[in-house]
Amino acid sequence: MNQEHTKFHLSCCFRPMLSFALWLAAVACLVMAWVAVYQRGLVFGLEPLAWYWNALVLGVLSMGKKGYGHGSCGTCMLGKKEGM
């Protein structure tokens, strides 16, 4: 983190972290779907199709929260302009 970027901004800091967390949850659900198919049964009380749909929905939600990273708010742009 650079010195100018000391505040936590909703648009450029929180959204990419939320996107990454949702993406990890989607990957975990997909792995659980594969495990459920391999075991031919329930994993944590859910069948493989439920795990697959959870992975699909979480993956789509993670795409919507990506944002533009640092540089989408004025405060972060200040630090980049001064460094140029």
Side-chain angles (χ1 to χ4, degrees), residues 3-80:
Q3 293 173 348
E4 292 88 13
H5 192 245
T6 56
K7 282 181 88 176
F8 187 79
H9 304 107
L10 185 64
S11 63
C12 68
C13 301
F14 180 71
R15 287 181 65 189
M17 287 191 307
L18 180 61
S19 171
F20 185 67
L22 287 172
W23 184 81
L24 285 178
V27 169
C29 285
L30 186 60
V31 169
M32 286 296 158
W34 291 336
V35 168
V37 167
Y38 181 72
Q39 289 182 352
R40 295 185 182 173
L42 302 176
V43 174
F44 297 120
L46 293 175
E47 58 188 30
L49 190 58
W51 283 113
Y52 173 74
W53 277 105
N54 287 339
L56 186 66
V57 168
L58 288 170
V60 168
L61 287 175
S62 75
M63 289 171 48
K65 292 293 180 198
K66 274 193 184 229
Y68 297 104
H70 290 287
S72 62
C73 69
T75 307
C76 293
M77 287 300 285
L78 272 174
K80 288 189 174 192

